[in-house]
Amino acid sequence: MRRADRLFDIVEYMRRHRRVVTADELAGKMEVSVRTIYRDIADLQASRVPIEGEAGIGYLLRPGYDLPPLMFTEDEAEALALGARIVASWADEELADSARAVLAKLRAVLPPPLQKQMDAFGVMAPPDHYRAEIVVDLAAIRKAVRRRAKIRFGYVNAKGEQSERTVWPLSLAFYGHVWIVPAWCEKREAFRVFRADRMRDLLLPGERYPKVPGRDLDAYLLEQGISPQDRLE
């Protein structure tokens, strides 16, 4: 976690609980040492965040303090709420928890009118019971993408044919009620797209794949006719 994110989380945790919290409690919550919390609190106090207390006793955020509001329009607030609700409904539980945390953090720093807009259900995400059953760990695939790690799995294609694949996962994408994994397939020596609900017996051999021009996500997207500019729009 970035230090700026941790400082935000400390203030938000104290603002939400509105009681004396100890350095031990904050250290456990932020997964850092107590000494790090002491330094963080000192820096927050130096930045005029109204935190009272001292080491060995506990800390209290004075009532009335709030983080500066973020400038969003009503449509932007709805877009953020809808996006987070879709992730919370359709992603793996680890990512869903993160989406719910994002909603809570955003709500905490928005002015009251936009808080109400985020809480409203003018836009809703469909429940995940429309999704095909997935037996592999999507969180593990996400982490493999992030770390450029190979994955192995059994696969059943649309014709019912089974095969074993070792691939370089380039992304995990949500595509109309199904999760797909665009990847470089070692067996086919080409880009292939695998549906997560057709994958079985996922293994992570712990082997990272190299950076090879023509085998990365940019090359795959260009093959699909998606330019860098298209991805920014």
Side-chain angles (χ1 to χ4, degrees):
M1 177 187 292
R2 296 184 308 165
R3 187 166 185 269
D5 294 333
R6 186 175 68 250
L7 293 176
F8 179 98
D9 286 349
I10 289 172
V11 174
E12 172 55 19
Y13 185 84
M14 297 178 73
R15 191 197 65 80
R16 190 169 64 247
H17 287 79
R18 300 192 181 281
R19 58 173 173 78
V20 174
V21 296
T22 65
D24 283 334
E25 180 181 347
L26 289 170
K29 185 68 178 177
M30 306 300 155
E31 298 182 345
V32 295
S33 69
V34 171
R35 180 171 294 184
T36 296
I37 293 297
Y38 289 155
R39 288 197 299 265
D40 288 347
I41 293 292
D43 287 345
L44 287 168
Q45 290 172 327
S47 299
R48 300 184 179 179
V49 177
I51 297 175
E52 300 175 346
E54 58 184 86
I57 297 176
Y59 300 99
L60 177 68
L61 182 67
R62 284 207 305 266
Y65 178 78
D66 212 343
L67 295 168
L70 298 178
M71 300 306 294
F72 291 116
T73 66
E74 288 186 347
D75 285 344
E76 289 168 343
E78 277 194 347
L80 290 168
L82 177 61
R85 286 169 185 157
I86 290 173
V87 173
S89 291
W90 291 83
D92 59 84
E93 193 56 35
E94 184 178 312
L95 199 58
D97 283 343
S98 295
R100 287 187 282 267
V102 166
L103 273 177
K105 286 181 179 180
L106 283 171
R107 191 185 185 285
V109 298
L110 289 175
L114 289 184
Q115 288 181 3
K116 293 179 181 179
Q117 193 69 22
M118 287 197 73
D119 292 342
F121 279 85
V123 288
M124 293 190 297
D128 67 351
H129 59 248
Y130 296 103
R131 185 180 71 178
E133 182 183 7
I134 296 173
V135 298
V136 295
D137 187 350
L138 292 182
I141 296 175
R142 283 194 296 106
K143 292 172 184 175
V145 171
R146 191 183 308 157
R147 297 168 184 165
R148 297 204 332 273
K150 295 182 182 182
I151 59 175
R152 296 174 184 163
F153 52 88
Y155 194 71
V156 181
N157 66 17
K159 298 179 181 179
E161 300 167 338
Q162 300 184 25
S163 61
E164 299 293 324
R165 303 297 181 102
T166 298
V167 307
W168 305 3
L170 305 174
S171 179
L172 178 64
F174 186 58
Y175 190 78
H177 295 180
V178 295
W179 285 95
I180 60 173
V181 183
W184 177 264
C185 179
E186 292 187 349
K187 182 175 183 177
R188 302 301 185 194
E189 295 189 344
F191 292 120
R192 290 290 186 270
V193 176
F194 302 93
R195 283 180 47 162
D197 57 298
R198 295 177 179 169
M199 298 167 66
R200 299 289 185 274
D201 303 320
L202 178 69
L203 295 174
L204 287 80
E207 181 181 356
R208 297 187 65 185
Y209 58 83
K211 293 183 178 180
V212 179
R215 297 186 183 184
D216 56 13
L217 181 60
D218 286 344
Y220 165 75
L221 292 173
L222 286 174
E223 185 178 276
Q224 302 303 307
I226 303 173
S227 68
Q229 185 59 38
D230 293 334
R231 280 173 271 162
L232 296 176
E233 296 178 350

